Amino acid sequence: MNDLQDLIERNQRWAEAIKQEDPQFFEKLAKQQTPEYLWIGCSDARVPANEIVGMLPGDIFVHRNVANVVLHTDLNCLSVIQYAVDVLQVKHILVTGHYGCGGVRASLQDTQFGLIDGWLRTIRDLAYEQREHLAQFDGEARVDRLCELNVIQQVANVSHTTIVQNAWHRGQSLAVHGCIYGIKDGLWKNLNVTVSGLEQLPPQYRLRPLGP
């Protein structure tokens, strides 16, 4: 039996269910992509962007990596952000972490995991910077608090990019939100760290627009 046959059959049932609800759905979807949201989330298979917020394909532009990290050297992530902001003109960037994140947990341990250790270095740095605060928490509570702190840091990292700042210079409506998802209860919540303009950034990170 074809190794993919089960998935192919599942896909056929899914597509048929969508068409029964809206016969023109895929025809309309093929003609345009106009999402208002960019989701930057974790690669964890238990955190599917569209399903969590009850949206269909086409509603959310998605980038995922281990532990939802945004690095100024990651051209993959930055290319996604630029396309979403400059071309798709999204209005909201949703940086979404999740409780119990394995990447965040690894950042609190002294075990080597391989190549991913370099990727998680910034979270390990964050844990060290916040060590006194994190000392107030034990076990899973410490992991979960670092998951929240990591989201907050990534919101700042997104906001500090020239891509986002140039959108604000142009007067484009754009907000960067920090959210977190609970795998144990299925609930997605706002961490209330939204950044929607240059005036919310520390002066050190505010960049003037390009020009003469």
Side-chain angles (χ1 to χ4, degrees):
M1 182 177 179
N2 188 322
D3 290 342
L4 299 181
Q5 190 58 40
D6 181 55
L7 296 181
I8 290 171
E9 291 174 0
R10 286 171 181 264
N11 166 256
Q12 291 171 346
R13 291 194 295 270
W14 171 79
E16 187 58 36
I18 294 287
K19 285 188 286 187
Q20 285 182 3
E21 189 170 318
D22 181 356
Q24 274 75 50
F25 177 81
F26 291 109
E27 182 180 340
K28 291 182 292 185
L29 189 64
K31 291 179 180 177
Q32 62 179 354
Q33 179 179 216
T34 57
E36 291 192 6
Y37 305 95
L38 165 62
W39 175 288
I40 299 177
C42 183
S43 298
D44 193 303
R46 300 168 295 176
V47 191
N50 289 70
E51 288 89 339
I52 285 173
V53 290
M55 289 188 172
L56 291 168
D59 292 332
I60 300 182
F61 197 59
V62 177
H63 175 78
R64 294 169 69 177
N65 62 53
V66 175
N68 43 272
V69 173
V70 179
L71 301 176
H72 69 279
T73 54
D74 181 2
L75 297 182
N76 181 8
C77 182
L78 294 179
S79 295
V80 171
I81 294 173
Q82 181 165 36
Y83 186 80
V85 171
D86 294 351
V87 179
L88 299 178
Q89 302 272 301
V90 298
K91 293 181 172 60
H92 304 275
I93 298 177
L94 310 172
V95 180
T96 298
H98 66 94
Y99 292 123
C101 179
V104 171
R105 179 180 288 105
S107 300
L108 288 167
Q109 300 173 7
D110 59 5
T111 305
Q112 285 195 40
F113 294 94
L115 181 63
I116 198 170
D117 293 322
W119 178 257
L120 298 175
R121 172 62 183 274
T122 58
I123 305 179
R124 190 177 296 278
D125 291 342
L126 177 63
Y128 182 71
E129 292 167 6
Q130 296 288 337
R131 61 191 180 280
E132 293 183 5
H133 173 70
L134 291 170
Q136 304 172 50
F137 304 88
D138 294 317
E140 281 300 298
R142 181 177 297 175
V143 174
D144 287 348
R145 181 54 181 155
L146 185 55
C147 289
E148 294 177 340
L149 294 174
N150 180 47
V151 168
I152 294 167
Q153 181 61 59
Q154 305 316 319
V155 167
N157 290 350
V158 173
S159 302
H160 296 166
T161 65
T162 54
I163 301 163
V164 169
Q165 293 195 34
N166 284 334
W168 287 330
H169 283 307
R170 293 192 300 267
Q172 189 171 330
S173 176
L174 179 64
V176 185
H177 309 273
C179 306
I180 197 152
Y181 174 69
I183 291 175
K184 293 180 179 178
D185 60 14
L187 298 179
W188 181 71
K189 71 177 183 179
N190 187 353
L191 290 176
N192 297 312
V193 290
T194 298
V195 182
S196 55
L198 285 163
E199 68 282 352
Q200 292 176 260
L201 301 183
Q204 172 68 15
Y205 296 102
R206 297 180 201 168
L207 301 174
R208 290 181 292 172
L210 285 173

